[in-house]
Amino acid sequence: MVTVTLQDTSPFDGQKPGTSGLRKAVKVFQQHHYTENFVQCIIDSIPAEKRRGCTLVVGGDGRFFMREAVLIIVRMAAANEIGQLVIGQGGIFSTPAVSCIIRKMKATGGILLTASHNPGGPDGDFGIKYNIENGGPAPEAITNEIFSKTKTIKSYKICHDITVDLDTIGSQSWEIEGHTFTVMIRDSVEDYTLLMKEIFDFDLLKTLIAGTEGQAPFKFIASAMHGVTGPYLKRILCQELGAPESYTLKCEPKEDFGGHHPDPNQTYASDLVEMLKKGEHQLGAAFDGDGDRNMILGQNGFFVTPSDSVAVIADNATCIPYFVKTGLKGVARSMPTSAAIDRVGQKLGVECFEVPTGWKFFGNLMDAQRLSLCGEESFGTGSDHIREKDGVWAFLAWLSIIASKKMSVQDILKDFWKKYGRGFFVRCDYENVEAEGAKKMIELLRQTAKDESLVNKSLTGGSGQDQKTYQVKSMDDFSYTDPIDGIVTEKQGVRMIFTDGSRVIFRLSGTGSAGATIRVYVESYEPDESKHLLDAQIVLKPLLDIALKVSKLQEFTGREIPTVIT
Ligand code: G6P
Ligand code: ZN
């Protein structure tokens, strides 16, 4: 007999979901009742009539504490009259795979156990994120409701007697106080692989990788960074597309990601950059802990900015059978992302949206059939095949473009810049700064934007020959009105826009788990082809100087240099 226990509890401070769910140190989640409280509030946010007997998808990136969290969710779902949980084998599902399965199974939602690209292990981070029935992250109305419930919670329901075998594929059921509760353990990669086969021309990709008489085999290297994508890369790239095992790197998921940040950028995936620099591989890619982010590199470590990556995919959408079939309905980017994709959208004559940072803002546009392809500077690229960004999908998109155009990554970019001009883009992160100083800095910037004291002023940065003067055209704190539901989201980052279209943007990260992280984004546009191969950091140095002066960043934070530059 399975019994339901009503467990007394009391609220924990700070269970506020950030840009992408609740993210905290593992030790915080391990506190007695902490995880249970949050899970109860997620479940309670689903209206009772939808909740009873519903299906939820559960899976995570394999990080430390994930299996414990899955078991807690199983026991609480059973007690809260959920009908069925669909769980990845061993608890493993990438974030894109959860989105895919929610949609495929018409589930009510999903619970994702990941802190994305944050480090893992007993001293690392853990996270819980709720996705809704369209397969995308819950919108703010729901996360706010979850947060408000965490502030008053008095008890939660749990079935302590249930244990579940997470490793064997198949279904297990229990009768609990008059209702049946089922746990279905599902292959972690199968559904996602089938979806990729519908989107891309696998035969074309197989031929690219194997080579033909006139064309040498195409060599790439893809790193899972010991995150969740390992099994997906092995299945799709090696088993389905015939790539040798040696084309994949760090494919064993590890609870602590081998002690590293599973974040695909040139700092944290520097080993991949070094391998590419040897010149033996024509394409390189890395993915984050939960598989939604990606970094694309060309031969010799040629870096493709995420802003350019999505724009190139848009420009070459006809290389991807899915887009040929569905048409490119519209394109979009987050506000700090460079405007490269806007230029492609304009040329193609499709709608072009600028949304706040966070993938959830794309979902409404996709559901309304107005958006097919979008990306963010934070290494997110994706399409309306699901409602999450999708790292492996982005890599397959690049393989498809290369296979169709028979050009190198660098030449594809050079061609692209020639056609549209180049948007130089750099992001500087000041991680883990003291929260008070960061807050004050943003307040100052907001005030400066509000009083318009810099508008029409000329500001100079750089030194000697590289000195450059820009005139401020406008300054504001980005606010977004969702074109579908009219909901307004304010205070999404302070922007300085210059008369030549260059931009400087300041934002506080919404994904950190301690202190504050300041992000400074700088962008300038260069139509002159002879300047397209210049180093972005050099081109953008004057703008960065201006950014630091205006924000008084060093004064407020005591930081001389950024922690990471992407
Ligand atoms: C997550 C979201 C992205 C978003 C990013 C921003 O990865 O899924 O959509 O761009 O967070 O992170 P930040 O730390 O800048 O708030
Ligand atoms: Zn992620």
Side-chain angles (χ1 to χ4, degrees), residues 19-20 116-117 292-293 357-359 376 378 389 507-511 519 521:
T19 315
S20 231
S116 186
H117 50 286
D292 54 359
R293 293 184 172 198
T357 294
W359 205 260
E376 294 186 278
S378 54
K389 54 185 180 274
R507 267 190 75 241
L508 292 184
S509 156
T511 57
R519 305 205 194 286
Y521 314 77

Side-chain angles (χ1 to χ4, degrees), residues 136-154:
E140 239 149 75
I142 294 178
T143 53
N144 286 343
E145 193 190 328
I146 294 173
F147 179 45
S148 90
K149 288 184 191 299
T150 66
K151 292 192 263 189
T152 54
I153 186 166
K154 290 193 181 69

Side-chain angles (χ1 to χ4, degrees), residues 386-414:
I386 52 172
R387 295 294 180 271
E388 287 279 5
K389 54 185 180 274
D390 190 344
V392 174
W393 173 91
F395 181 63
L396 294 173
W398 268 93
L399 272 183
S400 304
I401 293 169
I402 292 165
S404 303
K405 299 194 73 146
K406 303 196 169 39
M407 282 165 73
S408 72
V409 173
Q410 187 163 6
D411 285 343
I412 291 173
L413 262 299
K414 274 199 224 157

